[in-house]
Amino acid sequence: MEQQRRLTDAELATAVLDIEDPLAIENLSRTRPDASLQPSIIGEYHRPTTEQAIWCCHCQTHRHWNGFVVENETGNRYVIGSHCGPKHYELSFASARRQHTDLKQRQGLSRRLADILLVDAELLDSITHVLQSEGLRRIDAARAAIKKAAGDMFFRLQPIAVRGATLTESVRVRDYAAEARRPSSDKRDESPIYSFENRSIGTLEGAGLLIENGDCRDELLALRQALIEARKAHTRGTDSITTTDLQKIVKRCDEAHSRAEHAIALARRAPAFFSNENVSRLERWSEQFDAFRVQRTDVGFDVALSRGTAVRIVALEALELPHLADLGTASAEK
């Protein structure tokens, strides 16, 4: 169960949890605090070692460059070094530090959510522009044409495209290890033993053309839904949302945006499926199958089918896709 927060998310958004000059805070006491009173960390400091060390209420001298500002029920505040806090307060300091860490995490998540919502309208517009773009429509049409005309080839290539794997061919090679394992009774048999192994032909270019599930459209729709849910959570108020659930909302938006950008990049490279290098690889790759063969043409390639017919696949020309708007500033710590 999460500890009770002493600040609302609105207050937390502007709270200063990293203190630049801890000795300038209000109600600062230089006495050694009562260790029996539960401390509450209101901020922490981190100073470069090139500067003078910060005074510590436990050491009663300037000794630390990293530490905390704590407060107790007296209303006084104390500066204590990061090593002295656990020494002075023992187990009660561990509890205070956990709560402070939780507050910093929630503050980062709240600020990240605010950054996302500052740009969600622009981002939603850019999602719509990509989804309705001529470039994406042409990719969809080319994919459907290949799937309809050469289904066997399409379904063999699709998992390779999804995995981002390379094209391979089955090669007959002499198996010297198997020959060495022959029983002694067969040692006079010197006939070679052969086996088959898969060898790489090269990268499958333009893989985005073949990806159906999790393609550019799917990832853009997932991003749009993540943004809508984030806006709903903010409108309802986030104070009732646990930090874990707030983290999930932010993470879902960030990851959905990253996947959408990756999918758009794949879609932009779809015409490379018809590049000379890739068609050469497809020709070589198809030689191992009886159901179809790929043959280059001036306008793309033909797929010769086992039933004696051939289908022509016309190359997808260069295309443009609209830019996807950024998702605010860098992600908060997750």
Side-chain angles (χ1 to χ4, degrees):
M1 180 179 296
E2 297 189 352
Q3 292 183 347
Q4 181 66 37
R5 301 195 309 277
R6 65 176 183 267
L7 298 172
T8 66
D9 284 339
E11 294 169 336
L12 192 57
T14 58
V16 179
L17 301 181
D18 289 290
I19 299 174
E20 184 175 348
D21 184 2
L23 299 182
I25 61 170
E26 295 181 356
N27 300 327
L28 176 65
S29 173
R30 288 181 175 267
T31 63
R32 185 171 287 144
D34 185 347
S36 67
L37 298 179
Q38 175 66 41
S40 175
I41 296 175
I42 64 169
E44 61 184 90
Y45 67 87
H46 303 281
R47 302 293 292 274
T49 55
T50 54
E51 298 182 5
Q52 183 184 20
I54 298 297
W55 187 89
C56 171
C57 66
H58 177 79
C59 300
Q60 290 292 305
T61 186
H62 294 77
R63 186 169 290 177
H64 304 285
W65 288 268
N66 298 283
F68 303 90
V69 176
V70 301
E71 187 177 56
N72 58 27
E73 62 188 56
T74 67
N76 291 326
R77 293 174 175 178
Y78 309 86
V79 177
I80 192 165
S82 57
H83 294 293
C84 291
K87 291 179 183 178
H88 187 77
Y89 288 106
E90 298 182 343
L91 292 178
S92 62
F93 192 79
S95 174
R97 192 165 187 174
R98 281 194 302 271
Q99 186 177 44
H100 178 69
T101 299
D102 290 345
L103 280 175
K104 288 200 69 175
Q105 181 192 28
R106 190 171 184 96
Q107 183 185 64
L109 292 168
S110 296
R111 289 176 174 175
R112 178 63 186 138
L113 179 59
D115 289 338
I116 291 171
L117 296 180
L118 280 175
V119 298
D120 68 334
E122 178 187 359
L123 185 51
L124 286 169
D125 283 344
S126 70
I127 290 172
T128 299
H129 290 153
V130 180
L131 287 172
Q132 296 178 352
S133 66
E134 174 65 15
L136 206 54
R137 187 199 64 77
R138 288 171 53 203
I139 291 173
D140 292 341
R143 180 190 301 131
I146 296 173
K147 185 177 180 180
K148 180 179 179 180
D152 192 7
M153 183 190 76
F154 180 86
F155 288 113
R156 288 182 182 275
L157 285 173
Q158 191 178 56
I160 300 174
V162 171
R163 296 195 307 270
T166 59
L167 294 167
T168 61
E169 60 183 344
S170 183
V171 180
R172 184 172 178 259
V173 296
R174 187 167 178 179
D175 194 338
Y176 293 100
E179 293 174 12
R181 292 194 299 268
R182 280 178 174 144
S184 57
S185 58
D186 295 339
K187 289 301 183 184
R188 293 182 180 181
D189 182 2
E190 297 181 355
S191 60
I193 298 175
Y194 292 95
S195 62
F196 290 87
E197 65 179 34
N198 284 332
R199 289 185 180 176
S200 174
I201 298 174
T203 303
L204 175 62
E205 302 288 348
L209 179 63
L210 304 174
I211 298 175
E212 287 184 300
N213 298 324
D215 70 344
C216 187
R217 287 189 184 279
D218 287 343
E219 298 299 355
L220 287 167
L221 291 173
L223 173 57
R224 183 163 68 185
Q225 187 59 35
L227 293 172
I228 291 172
E229 293 300 324
R231 174 60 69 180
K232 286 181 179 178
H234 180 265
T235 301
R236 290 193 300 263
T238 57
D239 283 323
S240 60
I241 300 176
T242 66
T243 299
T244 298
D245 287 340
L246 183 60
Q247 181 183 47
K248 289 178 181 178
I249 292 170
V250 169
K251 186 175 181 180
R252 184 183 177 193
C253 289
D254 280 327
E255 292 184 348
H257 187 268
S258 179
R259 288 194 301 268
E261 285 196 315
H262 177 69
I264 291 174
L266 282 178
R268 286 197 178 103
R269 295 196 296 271
F273 183 77
F274 296 94
S275 67
N276 289 332
E277 296 82 0
N278 197 64
V279 173
S280 294
R281 295 185 189 120
L282 291 174
E283 286 179 317
R284 184 173 164 185
W285 169 80
S286 69
E287 290 175 359
Q288 61 193 309
F289 303 110
D290 296 328
F292 59 87
R293 288 284 193 281
V294 173
Q295 299 170 344
R296 182 196 308 274
T297 69
D298 292 339
V299 296
F301 58 82
D302 286 345
V303 181
L305 304 176
S306 59
R307 58 180 179 267
T309 60
V311 293
R312 176 147 295 181
I313 307 297
V314 179
L316 178 65
E317 300 297 332
L319 53 83
E320 293 184 2
L321 290 176
H323 172 70
L324 184 66
D326 292 332
L327 190 61
T329 57
S331 301
E333 182 182 352
K334 303 179 186 60

